[in-house]
Each structure stands twice: as structure tokens, then as C-alpha cells.
């Protein structure tokens, strides 16, 4: 609402009415011309233009207006004001006074700085007082930038707060950090508090909105103060116009908590806060305005920066509450600030005594954290920033890889001391965890397929119900997407990489993403995706801690010192500038790599298939596992499966249930073809890395050759046994006996020994096994070698051996191979392996060792998949 000229307009109208109602004067005699009347001296006029906000804000604007009124009174002038409703009206409001011939125009607030400079050039006869408008780029003629040492005033408020706090936690509720004086108040407040108590915990919160709302939101100020009090703060500094006043009034409703005002002595402007208002950090705005108006009136108006005064307001009702030694110390501090022996921007940092801090980190989020593929070194903004913080605080970071999806919850539960990872500060997250001060602001943009022409902005996308957004679950990007189009039009993914791939594949139409991450994906897929549209939101990022963490204060102090000396800006420039060109193709998978195997939590599973007695295989396999742990340090659990198919399935699962297998030849070929299982070692039995299969009958059966097996029953160890069925079945076909149609019955005996026993006992007419499995039952059946007669043997077959599931690293393979070879050079190792598999030696043989057997299958017109059935 604009109301500067009500009185002036009234006087003009009344003068016109008075003139119209007065009779005409008689004509004067013309004998002599009267001397011209001396023109009345024009009244000295001062106008004040507020920023967006009311003149009676009981803080910043009000103090300037009171100074304007007093200055006008001192010079016998008049004062009027305009309350700005919208930032676009700055120039018009200033011009309204200037066009009316005002002598001095006071513009209040940092945001009016540019409009004031432009008006000074247009109206060179007007003196301008720019409150909080420092002229750092050079002196502007006709403009006195009335600035204040806010850091010094804040320093004294912080020192008072630290002295009076009993909990060791204090807070500041602030306007926007887009306004430098607000930042100086905060930094001074924190540094003053740490000057008195280096270990104090400080909760400082900027309003998240822009200039249009940051100083006129008492509800947010009240709720933010309440949150800080609930977290243990017992002194609240409110520095943000009506927003800060909301914090003061909320604090007044709490028992045992002090509050400190800002800009002026708020004892007289916010009486609702009397029960907590111990003092105010004053910028003597009214005094500075009065002085500059006087200088303008006397013709001595200065251009350039004009520094006003600072100080603490009287303690009023709390005068007897503040101890005498505290008052003395505050006097000493003020003296040091006045003579500059105390630097209010110099941070007094606590010493954490070498404390180890456990930090959750994703190691997969450019440019914050990643592992370099070439060097294996962990790098990124997080590492540089935290290492610098710990250098200043004397602490040791311990980085622990952890996935994003449960990171915040894990920190909130106390699993870690803190987390980095570019976490957006939100009110919802503040309910379960504490945040540091923001260290960088990020923009959210839309990532789309290259050449997208269906929409060019978020509003256009939202208007088309057919368009879908893809987002990583649990992120602020997901929340923004839901707010934009509704949950039904958002598809959730577990990580950004999959999300972006779904965009490229056409499964979703756009992705809301942090601009920095989006640029990384755009660089990686320049021919596929692009960022479009304006920023959807600007979010502050911060470190996150468990509620009540004693690390928040020290880390905020370190961040403040890094901001003050330029280190934080240098680190930000290093990682968020154009020189950073790394893409996701250049980094390791971080927390999303398969879990480390060979540990108690995630042992390596070695799957065996019995080739002898089950209990012997189990016992031997267990002994081998223990020996391999002693040799390699890898935890290896052994699994004895009932058949080859089970081992193949375990090794070929999406998340392998077995990392190592001991498969026979055909089973290995099948596993290799199915999912890329790879051979590394082949067993040596009786000096050979190959073996043969055999077909046998009872010597009283009258059967002497393979064609006679038609219409007979046949025992086989396993349908996938190379020597016990695959090769014998090929031999039968070659002899004119089709196993599928010509045999009376095929019996799966359950092992080579069982196949031998089945024929020996007369359960089957014939059977097959490796050469010579008859010896397996000889102890209980001494005549088995005479009773069972071998009527056919096979070509050489590669022995079974050691194979690895796909994805098992070269490092793990080498460790196991070396350990196995070493174990097999000991008597204990040979005995255990012989018990399990009758292996006496191992030889390194890769996949090519099986090529001859592949040729045998090819010659028979068969492929591994042809032999999958019983």
C-alpha cells in the first residue's frame, strides 16, 4: 500500500478550495510598483522506500523510518514513506518521490541497491541513503551506502548467548542468505559464541524462500524456533524482520529459554517477547539515517560507504540476571571489536582430539563421491571438504560405503556418525535427523531425450496426462516430480543410473534431476539426452547427523571458517566447475558393487556333486574349506548338491548362490554355454587330467555287446553325468540303440557307486559309470570286479575340476587357485581332496581344454542343450 502524499494532497486541495471561496481583491493603485515578495523557502523533504514488507515491521524498516522521522524533524523538514508490495515496483516507488522534488530518499535493504544506483544517475539533484547497500564496486555519486558491521553486532549477541546458555546449544532463526548482512549476522553470532565456548552447539537456519517472503514469514520463524528449542537450544537469536520476530514470540511462550532481537532494541518494538528478550544485536540504523540527513541538509552529503554503529541493547528486566563478570567480558569484547583486535569473522574452532568419525558415503554420485576406475582411489567433493574439515577440527574420517536408499534412516538410527552424499535439507528429514549448515545450493532441472519436441517446460509436461516421469525413490527429485504430476505419473527406480537408462529406452518421458548430476549424465550420453527448462527448485545441501549429535556445532564452525577464508569456494569451484568432466563410465560402482565375498557375512560357496559316498564328500569338502581359509583368509563354505543341475542353477542365478563349482565335463559345458561359467583348474587323478566312462553288465547276463541292450533296463548315475550317461548314450546311439525309445527303462541310481550297485544287485540289466567305479563298492562286495563285466569304454573325457560363476573377480579367482594348489601340496590337503573327490592333484586348464570334447559332441550331431532331458 502506498501512502506518502495524503497530507500533502489534502493541503493542496484545501488551498484550492480556500482560493475559490475568497472574494476578488480590489485592484491596487498603479502609481508605484510594489517590490516582489521574497519567495518562501521550500520545505526540506525526505522520502523512505521499504523493501517488500511493512514499515512497522518492528525491526529493520521501522528503525530506518524512525531515523528518517527524527532526521526530518531535526532539520525542520517532512518525512513520508512508500511500502513496496512487489520488487518490480522499486524504481517506480523511488521515482515517485524524486519526481515530486524530494531532497533525500532513503531506500531500505540490500535488494534495492541496483534500483537506487540507477535512480541516482537519473536524479543527480537528490541525495540517496541506501541502507545496507554497500558500494563494493566503487563509489556511486549521490549515494551514501549506510552499512553496518553486522558481524560485530552478531558476535556480541553470540557471546551473550554462549554465556547465558545452560544446555550448551543455541540457535539462530534467520532471513535469507541471499542478503549479505544476514549472513554476517549469522557468522558473527556463531563466532562470538565459540569465542566464549569453543564446544558450543549452534543450530542456524536460513529461511528457504526468496527475498519476497524471507523476512515476512513469522509462522516459519516460530516453527523453526520451536524445532531448535525441542533440540535443546535455550537461547534463540531472531534475525530476519517479521520472520525473526515470530521466533522471538514463540520463544517467549517457552519456559527457561532466552531470546535475542536484531537491528534495533526490540524491547520497544516486540513487547510480546519481553519474557525472553534478554537483549538485541543492534545496527544503529536510526542514528546513521539521522546523521546522513543532517549532512545532506548542511550540504556535506558523502558518497560511498558510510559505516554506522553497532552494539547490544540494554538488558532491561534481565539486567540483574546477567552476571557482572559476563557484562565485563562483553565490554571487553566490544572494545576489541571497536579497535579491531577481535576479528568477528575469525572462527575459533574446537579440537576433537583426533576423534574418528564414521561417515556413510555412496561412492557413486558425481561429483560428490566416486572411486576412480584406474587408480581405485576414492575422490570427490565430499572427500576434499570433509578432509579439510577434519584438518581444522583434528578428527579422522572413516569412510564406509553405503547405499542411498536407506542411508538417511541408518544415520538417524545412529549406525553412522554422519553422512555426506549431497543430501538435500528438507523439513521432513529434519524431523528424524540433524543437518549442518548448507554448503551449496543445487537446481532441479528436467532431463529428457535429445530432440524432445512434445514439451519444453515442466508446466507443459504436467499438462499432458500421457507423459510419465522416472525418479530415484527416496530423493527430493522424486518429491518434486510427485508435486508436479502426481504419484500415479511417477515411476520409481532404485538408482539414478537405471532411471536415466529408462529415459533413454523410452520407458519414461523425463527425469527431474539435480542439475550437476544431470550434466554428468548429459556428458556421458550427449547423443541421447539433454537438460531443458528452468530450475524447478533450488535446494540447499548439507551433511546429516543423528538427532542431538555433538558434531553439528564443530562441523558448522569448520564450514564457517572455510567460507570465511575462501576455502569452501575453492573446493566448490574445483568440483562443480566446467573443468570437471568425469562421467559415470569412468567410475566404479561404489556401494552398488556386488558385496565383497569371502567374508563371514558373505562367504564364498563351493558346490560339489557327489562322485562317491555322500558322507565322504561332505567330510572332505568341509576339511578343504577350513584349509583354504588358513591359506587365503577367504571364508569358503562348501555345499554338496544332489545333482549337477542344482549346481548349474546355483552358479547361473542372477545373484549366484554358489561362486565355485566342481562340475563334470558335460555339466561344465552346459554351464559355460548357459551363463558363462569359466573353468580354471582340472583335477588330476592317477596322473591324468582325463578319464573314461564305462558300460557294464553282470557276467551271467549273456550280454556281450551294446546292441544287445535293446529292451533292457539301464542304471545311470545322473542324467547329466558325462561318463555315466552322456558319453554312454552317444555310444548306444552309435551301436543302433536309441536310449529314448529302445531301452526298457532308465533308472537314475543317484551316483556312480549306486549305478554299479544297481547292476550288481540285479536291479538293472546294464549300467554306466566312470572307470572304474566298481572299486567303490568292492569293500562290501569283494567279488564285484568278477561279477560285473565291462562291455564298452569311452573316449578320453576331461576330468571334473574347479569353475567360477560369472562376476567372480580375477583377484578372488587367483587367491582361490593359489590356495588350492598350495593345499594340494600338503598331505592333509591331498587326503581331504581324495576323500571328497579322489583328486590327488590340480592342473591349471582354461575353457579351451574342453574343445576336443566339444568336437566329439559336434561329430555326434549333438549340442549340450540336446542332453538336458532324462
Amino acid at each position: 500500500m502506498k501512502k506518502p502524499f495524503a497530507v500533502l494532497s489534502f493541503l493542496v486541495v484545501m488551498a484550492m478550495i480556500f482560493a475559490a471561496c475568497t472574494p476578488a481583491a480590489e485592484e491596487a493603485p498603479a502609481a508605484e510598483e510594489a517590490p516582489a515578495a521574497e519567495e518562501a523557502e521550500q520545505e526540506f523533504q525526505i522520502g523512505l522506500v521499504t523493501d517488500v514488507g511493512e514499515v512497522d515491521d518492528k525491526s529493520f524498516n521501522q528503525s530506518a523510518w524512525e531515523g528518517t522521522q527524527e532526521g526530518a524533524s531535526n532539520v525542520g523538514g517532512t518525512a513520508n514513506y512508500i511500502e513496496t508490495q512487489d520488487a518490480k515496483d522499486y524504481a517506480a516507488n523511488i521515482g515517485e518521490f524524486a519526481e515530486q522534488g524530494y531532497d533525500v530518499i532513503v531506500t531500505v535493504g540490500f535488494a534495492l541497491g541496483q534500483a537506487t544506483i540507477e535512480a541516482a544517475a537519473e536524479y543527480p539533484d537528490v541525495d540517496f541513503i541506501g541502507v545496507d547497500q554497500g558500494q563494493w564496486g566503487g563509489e556511486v555519486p549521490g549515494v551514501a551506502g549506510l552499512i553496518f558491521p553486522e558481524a560485530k553486532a552478531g558476535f556480541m549477541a553470540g557471546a551473550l548467548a554462549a554465556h547465558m546458555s545452560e544446555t550448551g546449544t543455541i540457535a539462530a532463526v534467520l532471513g535469507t542468505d541471499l542478503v549479505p548482512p544476514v549472513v554476517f549476522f549469522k557468522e558473527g553470532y556463531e563466532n562470538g559464541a565459540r569465542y566464549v565456548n569453543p564446544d558450543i552447539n549452534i543450530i542456524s537456519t536460513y529461511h528457504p524462500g526468496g527475498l519476497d517472503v524471507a523476512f515476512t514469514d513469522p509462522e516459519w520463524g516460530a516453527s523453526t524456533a520451536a524445532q531448535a528449542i525441542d533440540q535443546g537450544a535455550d537461547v534463540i537469536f531472531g534475525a530476519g524482520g517479521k520472520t525473526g520476530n515470530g521466533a522471538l514470540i514463540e520463544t517467549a511462550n517457552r519456559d527457561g529459554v532466552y531470546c535475542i532481537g536484531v537491528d534495533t532494541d526490540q524491547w520497544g518494538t516486540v513487547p510480546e517477547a519481553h519474557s525472553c528478550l534478554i537483549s538485541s544485536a543492534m545496527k544503529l540504523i536510526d542514528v546513521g539515517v539521522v546523521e546522513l540527513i543532517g549532512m545532506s541538509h548542511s550540504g556535506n552529503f558523502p558518497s560511498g560507504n558510510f559505516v554506522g554503529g553497532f552494539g547490544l541493547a540494554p538488558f532491561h528486566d534481565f539486567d540483574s540476571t546477567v552476571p557482572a563478570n559476563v557484562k565485563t567480558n562483553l565490554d571487553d569484547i566490544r572494545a576489541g571489536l571497536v579497535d579491531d583486535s577481535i576479528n568477528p569473522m575469525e572462527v575459533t574452532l574446537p579440537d576433537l582430539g583426533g576423534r574418528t568419525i564414521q561417515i556413510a558415503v555412496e561412492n557413486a554420485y558425481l561429483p560428490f563421491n566416486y572411486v576412480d576406475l584406474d587408480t581405485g582411489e576414492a575422490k570427490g567433493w565430499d572427500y576434499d571438504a570433509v578432509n579439510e574439515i577434519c584438518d581444522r577440527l583434528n578428527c579422522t574420517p572413516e569412510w564406509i560405503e553405503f547405499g542411498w536408499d536407506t542411508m538417511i534412516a541408518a544415520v538417524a538410527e545412529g549406525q553412522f556418525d554422519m553422512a555426506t552424499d549431497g543430501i538435500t535439507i528438507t523439513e521432513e528429514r529434519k524431523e528424524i535427523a540433524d543437518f549442518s549448515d548448507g554448503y551449496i545450493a543445487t537446481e532441479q532441472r528436467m532431463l529428457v531425450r535429445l530432440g524432445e519436441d512434445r514439451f519444453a517446460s515442466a508446466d507443459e509436461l504436467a499438462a499432458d496426462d500421457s507423459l510419465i516421469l522416472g525418479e530415484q525413490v527416496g530423493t527430493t527429485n522424486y518429491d518434486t516430480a510427485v508435486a508436479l504430476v502426481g504419484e500415479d505419473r511417477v515411476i520409481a527406480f532404485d538408482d539414478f543410473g537405471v532411471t536415466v537408462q529408462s529415459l533413454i529406452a523410452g520407458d519414461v518421458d523425463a527425469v527431474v534431476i539435480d542439475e550437476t548430476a544431470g550434466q554428468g549424465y548429459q556428458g556421458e550420453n550427449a547423443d541421447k539426452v539433454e537438460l531443458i527448462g528452468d530450475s524447478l527448485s533450488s535446494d540447499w545441501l548439507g551433511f546429516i547427523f543423528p538427532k542431538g549429535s555433538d558434531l553439528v556445532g564443530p562441523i558448522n564452525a569448520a564450514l564457517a571458517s572455510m567460507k570465511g577464508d575462501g576455502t569452501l569456494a575453492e573446493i566448490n569451484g574445483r568440483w562443480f566447475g566446467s573443468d570437471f568432466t568425469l562421467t559415470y563410465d569412468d567410475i566404479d560402482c561404489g556401494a552398488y558393487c556386488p558385496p565383497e565375498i569371502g567374508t563371514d557375512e558373505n562367504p564364498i560357496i563351493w558346490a560339489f556333486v557327489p562322485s562317491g559316498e555322500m558322507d565322504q564328500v561332505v567330510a572332505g569338502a568341509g576339511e578343504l574349506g577350513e584349509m583354504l581359509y588358513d591359506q587365503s583368509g577367504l571364508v569358503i563354505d562348501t555345499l554338496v548338491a544332489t545333482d549337477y543341475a542344482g549346481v548349474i542353477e546355483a552358479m547361473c542365478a542372477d545373484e549366484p548362490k554358489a561362486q565355485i563349482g566342481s562340475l563334470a565335463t558335460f555339466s561344465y559345458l552346459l554351464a559355460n554355454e548357459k551363463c558363462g561359467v569359466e573353468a580354471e583348474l582340472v583335477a588330476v587323478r592317477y596322473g591324468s587330467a582325463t578319464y573314461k566312462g564305462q558300460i557294464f553288465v553282470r557276467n551271467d547276463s549273456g550280454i556281450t555287446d551294446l546292441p544287445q541292450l535293446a529292451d533292457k533296463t539301464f542304471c545311470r548315475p545322473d542324467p547329466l553325468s558325462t561318463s555315466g550317461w552322456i558319453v554312454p548314450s552317444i555310444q548306444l546311439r552309435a551301436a543302433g540303440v536309441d536310449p529314448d525309445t529302445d531301452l526298457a527303462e532308465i533308472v537314475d541310481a543317484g551316483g556312480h557307486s549306486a549305478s554299479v550297485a544297481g547292476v550288481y544287485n540285479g536291479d538293472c540289466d546294464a549300467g554306466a559309470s566312470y572307470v572304474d567305479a566298481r572299486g567303490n563298492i568292492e569293500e562290501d562286495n569283494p567279488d564285484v570286479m568278477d561279477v560285473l563285466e565291462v562291455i564298452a569304454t569311452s573316449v578320453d573325457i576331461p576330468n571334473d575340476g574347479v569353475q567360477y560363476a560369472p562376476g567372480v573377480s580375477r583377484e578372488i579367482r587367483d587367491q582361490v587357485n593359489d590356495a588350492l594348489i598350495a593345499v594340494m601340496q600338503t598331505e592333509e590337503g591331498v587326503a581331504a581332496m581324495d576323500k571328497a573327490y579322489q583328486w590327488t592333484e590340480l592342473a591349471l586348464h582354461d575353457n579351451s581344454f574342453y574343445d576336443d570334447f566339444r568336437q566329439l559332441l559336434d561329430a555326434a550331431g549333438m549340442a549340450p542343450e540336446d542332453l538336458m532331458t532324462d
Side-chain angles (χ1 to χ4, degrees):
M1 176 179 179
K2 300 179 182 178
K3 48 184 179 181
F5 299 113
V7 175
L8 179 62
S9 300
F10 174 76
L11 292 175
V12 171
V13 171
M14 289 304 295
M16 293 173 63
I17 293 172
F18 180 76
C21 296
T22 302
E26 293 183 10
E27 190 172 335
E32 185 173 311
E33 185 174 352
E38 194 173 328
E39 291 186 11
E41 183 177 347
Q42 185 177 351
E43 189 174 45
F44 196 79
Q45 298 179 97
I46 305 101
L48 177 140
V49 179
T50 74
D51 193 357
V52 176
E54 299 173 357
V55 77
D56 60 345
D57 64 353
K58 301 180 180 180
S59 181
F60 191 74
N61 287 330
Q62 184 164 329
S63 181
W65 174 234
E66 289 172 353
T68 301
Q69 291 174 298
E70 182 178 344
S73 176
N74 289 350
V75 299
T78 58
N80 292 295
Y81 65 86
I82 296 175
E83 290 178 332
T84 299
Q85 302 300 306
D86 192 301
K88 70 179 187 309
D89 297 328
Y90 289 155
N93 292 346
I94 296 171
E96 190 167 341
F97 281 133
E99 290 293 336
Q100 293 294 329
Y102 272 57
D103 300 282
V104 178
I105 299 175
V106 182
T107 60
V108 186
F110 170 79
L112 279 89
Q114 186 59 36
T116 303
I117 291 172
E118 292 171 359
E122 186 174 354
Y123 302 103
D125 294 332
V126 180
D127 289 336
F128 289 87
I129 301 173
V131 181
D132 268 1
Q133 298 167 29
Q135 297 178 28
W136 311 115
E139 181 180 301
V140 178
V143 180
L146 179 56
I147 61 173
F148 300 89
E150 291 90 355
K152 293 183 178 182
F155 194 94
M156 294 199 68
L160 173 62
H163 272 303
M164 301 305 292
S165 175
E166 294 183 0
T167 64
T169 296
I170 62 175
V173 178
L174 306 152
T176 175
D177 60 349
L178 297 173
V179 175
V182 176
V183 176
F184 294 142
F185 264 128
K186 170 191 173 289
E187 301 298 330
Y189 179 74
E190 294 178 349
N191 295 340
R194 294 190 180 101
Y195 184 84
V196 171
N197 177 8
D199 297 323
I200 198 161
N201 182 37
I202 308 171
I203 306 170
S204 296
T205 311
Y206 287 115
H207 192 288
L211 291 169
D212 55 337
V213 296
F215 298 96
T216 57
D217 193 352
E219 292 79 12
W220 180 87
S223 64
T224 304
Q227 290 175 10
I229 293 169
D230 291 342
Q231 294 174 40
D234 60 354
V235 183
I236 306 295
F237 178 38
K242 289 193 172 183
T243 301
N245 294 349
L248 302 182
I249 294 169
E250 172 64 26
T251 305
N253 294 324
R254 302 294 192 101
D255 293 332
V257 185
Y258 296 117
C259 64
I260 300 174
V262 77
D263 290 335
T264 187
D265 184 356
Q266 293 203 273
W267 186 267
T269 59
V270 190
E272 304 95 320
H274 279 182
S275 63
C276 69
L277 192 62
I278 193 169
S279 186
S280 300
M282 294 194 303
K283 294 162 57 172
L284 303 182
I285 298 171
D286 53 350
V287 175
V289 171
V290 168
E291 188 172 355
L292 285 169
I293 289 173
M295 296 174 76
S296 174
H297 186 263
S298 64
N300 297 315
F301 190 75
S303 296
N305 289 328
F306 186 89
V307 181
F310 75 96
L312 280 181
F315 301 127
H316 297 290
D317 287 355
F318 294 92
D319 190 70
S320 61
T321 305
V322 180
N325 66 312
V326 172
K327 293 177 181 177
T328 300
N329 192 33
L330 291 172
D331 288 341
D332 292 341
I333 289 172
R334 176 175 171 77
L337 292 168
V338 170
D339 67 18
D340 292 328
S341 60
I342 295 176
N343 179 358
M345 296 300 286
E346 185 175 276
V347 181
T348 303
L349 296 176
D351 186 336
L352 296 184
R355 174 176 170 179
T356 296
I357 300 174
Q358 292 188 322
I359 306 167
V361 63
E362 194 175 0
N363 272 346
Y365 185 24
L366 296 174
F368 293 99
N369 48 72
Y370 65 93
V371 175
D372 190 302
L373 272 179
D374 293 333
T375 66
E377 182 183 359
K379 298 178 180 179
W381 185 96
D382 288 341
Y383 287 93
D384 281 5
V386 173
N387 287 339
E388 178 67 29
I389 287 170
C390 273
D391 283 346
R392 298 181 183 219
L393 297 178
N394 186 19
C395 57
T396 302
E398 179 184 344
W399 301 92
I400 301 172
E401 277 190 353
F402 199 77
W404 165 255
D405 55 344
T406 57
M407 183 180 291
I408 294 175
V411 173
E413 292 168 2
Q415 187 172 339
F416 303 99
D417 295 319
M418 63 181 287
T420 54
D421 229 63
I423 301 175
T424 304
I425 301 171
T426 68
E427 295 304 316
E428 181 181 5
R429 289 170 179 170
K430 283 182 180 180
E431 293 178 2
I432 63 170
D434 286 345
F435 276 93
S436 70
D437 293 337
Y439 50 72
I440 196 168
T442 63
E443 307 295 327
Q444 290 190 37
R445 299 274 305 281
M446 281 200 308
L447 189 71
V448 300
R449 287 186 291 279
L450 189 66
E452 176 62 69
D453 57 6
R454 295 170 297 168
F455 56 92
S457 68
D459 290 340
E460 291 179 12
L461 178 142
D464 186 342
D465 292 341
S466 68
L467 300 176
I468 301 297
L469 285 167
E471 303 301 333
Q472 183 183 14
V473 68
T475 64
T476 52
N477 306 120
Y478 181 91
D479 296 338
T480 299
V482 170
L484 180 65
V485 300
E487 196 166 4
D488 292 344
R489 290 172 57 190
V490 180
I491 299 176
F493 297 91
D494 289 334
D495 63 70
F496 270 130
V498 175
T499 307
V500 175
Q501 288 307 311
S502 74
L503 171 67
I504 294 171
D507 298 328
V508 299
D509 301 295
V511 174
V512 175
I513 196 168
D514 295 342
E515 185 172 41
T516 301
Q519 288 171 345
Y521 283 111
Q522 183 175 335
E524 182 181 347
N525 304 279
D527 59 337
K528 298 184 178 81
V529 298
E530 61 181 329
L531 288 164
I532 67 168
D534 296 329
S535 171
L536 301 180
S537 71
S538 180
D539 302 307
W540 277 102
L541 307 181
F543 303 127
I544 196 168
F545 308 83
K547 276 284 189 183
S549 170
D550 63 346
L551 288 172
V552 176
I555 285 179
N556 278 345
L559 281 172
S561 71
M562 291 163 64
K563 291 176 184 177
D565 63 19
T567 303
L568 187 61
E570 187 274 328
I571 294 175
N572 289 347
R574 186 186 313 157
W575 293 104
F576 295 100
S578 58
D579 291 341
F580 183 78
T581 58
L582 212 63
T583 72
Y584 283 89
D585 285 338
D586 304 314
I587 69 172
D588 191 58
C589 45
Y592 307 105
C593 292
E596 183 181 356
I597 60 175
T599 64
D600 286 328
E601 296 77 17
N602 191 28
I604 295 170
I605 305 299
W606 185 356
F608 289 82
V609 177
S611 61
E613 295 300 327
M614 176 70 83
D615 56 348
Q616 287 188 11
V617 175
V618 171
E623 292 172 15
L624 278 172
E626 294 177 5
M627 293 179 192
L628 290 173
Y629 174 77
D630 292 339
Q631 188 70 37
S632 68
L634 296 171
V635 178
I636 300 177
D637 286 352
T638 53
L639 167 70
V640 180
T642 57
D643 56 32
Y644 292 120
V647 177
I648 295 172
E649 195 64 34
M651 297 182 75
C652 287
D654 289 339
E655 294 186 10
K657 303 297 188 295
Q659 289 79 30
I660 305 177
S662 288
L663 295 169
T665 301
F666 170 71
S667 301
Y668 164 66
L669 294 178
L670 194 61
N672 175 259
E673 185 172 290
K674 181 175 182 178
C675 69
V677 169
E678 293 182 312
E680 295 275 342
L681 297 165
V682 174
V684 175
R685 286 195 183 98
Y686 313 111
S688 176
T690 60
Y691 69 106
K692 296 177 182 289
Q694 62 184 11
I695 297 175
F696 44 83
V697 296
R698 286 184 62 89
N699 60 10
D700 56 4
S701 66
I703 300 172
T704 58
D705 57 22
L706 295 182
Q708 292 177 281
L709 294 181
D711 298 323
K712 298 297 190 291
T713 58
F714 198 98
C715 278
R716 64 184 181 187
D718 182 282
L720 297 181
S721 171
T722 303
S723 62
W725 179 244
I726 304 304
V727 174
S729 70
I730 296 172
Q731 291 175 285
L732 286 171
R733 283 188 175 88
V737 179
D738 187 337
D740 295 331
T741 58
D742 295 341
L743 293 177
E745 182 183 5
I746 299 174
V747 177
D748 288 328
H752 290 263
S753 298
S755 179
V756 172
V759 177
Y760 179 85
N761 292 328
D763 298 328
C764 297
D765 297 312
S769 72
Y770 62 79
V771 177
D772 193 331
R774 291 178 297 173
N776 293 344
I777 68 170
E778 190 172 17
E779 184 176 348
D780 294 329
N781 304 280
D783 61 345
V784 65
M785 305 298 285
D786 296 326
V787 172
L788 296 186
E789 181 179 349
V790 175
I791 60 172
T793 56
S794 73
V795 298
D796 286 341
I797 305 168
N799 283 340
D800 41 12
V802 178
Q803 304 92 19
Y804 292 88
V808 177
S809 70
R810 181 74 259 165
E811 179 184 5
I812 291 292
R813 296 184 191 202
D814 289 342
Q815 283 182 271
V816 175
N817 291 345
D818 292 345
L820 269 171
I821 291 172
V823 165
M824 291 296 290
Q825 291 175 350
T826 67
E827 291 183 7
E828 297 83 2
V830 170
M833 188 65 83
D834 182 60
K835 188 184 297 183
Y837 257 20
Q838 293 82 54
W839 296 353
T840 57
E841 189 180 342
L842 284 169
L844 288 167
H845 287 291
D846 62 16
N847 184 57
S848 63
F849 184 68
Y850 297 83
D851 286 347
D852 289 344
F853 192 72
R854 287 189 177 94
Q855 292 174 9
L856 172 66
L857 289 179
D858 290 340
M862 303 185 72
E865 57 267 25
D866 296 332
L867 302 169
M868 283 292 291
T869 58
D870 291 341

